[in-house]
Amino acid sequence: MNIWESDLPGIGRKFQMETRNGDKLVVVIHDNGRREIYHLDQTNPDECVSTITLDDEEAMKIAGIIGGMNYKPKALENSEITLNDLVIEWHKVEPQAACVGKTIGQLAVRQKTGATIIAVIEPGHSKKINPGPDQILAGGSTLIVVGERQHVKAFKQLLS
C-alpha cells in the first residue's frame, strides 16, 4: 500500500492512497487545520463518491479511533503502522514480562531504546495518553510505542 504526498501551494498538503480493497482516498490537510477526506469511485477516479470535512480537533479524535486508541480489535493486539521510517506499534505486556511493576523511568525506555511510549491502555480499558516516567507497567496492558524500526525492536527486547 502506497501513500502519495504532494504540496498544494497556498492550501496545504494532499495525501492519496488506494486500499487493498481498491478504494481510492484523498486527504487534504489545509494550512488552517481543516481536513477534507474524499472517497473516489473505483472505476472513475475523477468522480467523488463521498466527502467529509473535519476541523483539527475532530480529525485528532477520528485518528485516535481509527488508530485503535479507543478500541483495539483482539486480533490486532500486537500490530504496527509504518509511516516512512517512523513505526507506531501496539505491544501487549505479558503478565510474566520482566517490566511488570516497573515504571517507564526505571526502565529508561527512551534513553536505552530511542522509542517513546505514547499511550498505555490498561486491561480495564482505561487509557493514559503521553504517560510520564512514573507510569507503572502492568501485565495485560497494551503499550503504544513510536520510533524508528530499530528503536521499536530494541524496546521489545527491553520489555522481555
Side-chain angles (χ1 to χ4, degrees):
M1 176 176 61
N2 292 318
I3 298 175
W4 297 271
E5 298 180 36
S6 58
D7 285 323
L8 300 173
I11 297 171
R13 193 152 182 87
K14 177 173 81 170
F15 299 84
Q16 294 176 259
M17 69 176 287
E18 185 171 339
T19 67
R20 288 184 182 92
N21 290 341
D23 288 312
K24 294 170 179 56
L25 299 173
V26 174
V27 177
V28 176
I29 302 178
H30 292 258
D31 291 334
N32 66 5
R34 188 177 81 223
R35 271 77 161 179
E36 296 170 341
I37 304 170
Y38 299 91
H39 179 206
L40 305 177
D41 188 298
Q42 287 184 353
T43 58
N44 182 0
D46 293 328
E47 185 71 29
C48 182
V49 174
S50 63
T51 184
I52 187 167
T53 301
L54 304 168
D55 66 23
D56 193 49
E57 182 181 353
E58 293 166 331
M60 295 296 182
K61 287 181 180 178
I62 293 296
I65 292 168
I66 292 172
M69 294 293 288
N70 295 318
Y71 172 75
K72 188 75 176 164
K74 296 216 182 296
L76 301 177
E77 285 180 341
N78 290 316
S79 180
E80 74 175 44
I81 297 172
T82 305
L83 305 167
N84 293 330
D85 293 335
L86 183 67
V87 175
I88 302 172
E89 183 170 302
W90 284 254
H91 182 75
K92 181 132 184 177
V93 178
E94 296 300 324
Q96 70 279 7
C99 65
V100 171
K102 295 182 181 173
T103 67
I104 293 172
Q106 287 173 319
L107 294 169
V109 171
R110 197 173 311 157
Q111 295 82 358
K112 289 183 179 177
T113 69
T116 301
I117 299 172
I118 59 173
V120 177
I121 303 170
E122 300 292 343
H125 301 292
S126 67
K127 55 187 167 291
K128 176 76 174 184
I129 308 299
N130 195 23
D134 57 338
Q135 176 71 40
I136 298 171
L137 301 183
S141 295
T142 299
L143 308 177
I144 303 171
V145 182
V146 65
E148 293 181 2
R149 190 167 302 285
Q150 71 268 18
H151 299 146
V152 174
K153 183 177 179 182
F155 168 79
K156 287 194 267 189
Q157 291 173 343
L158 177 70
L159 291 189
S160 60

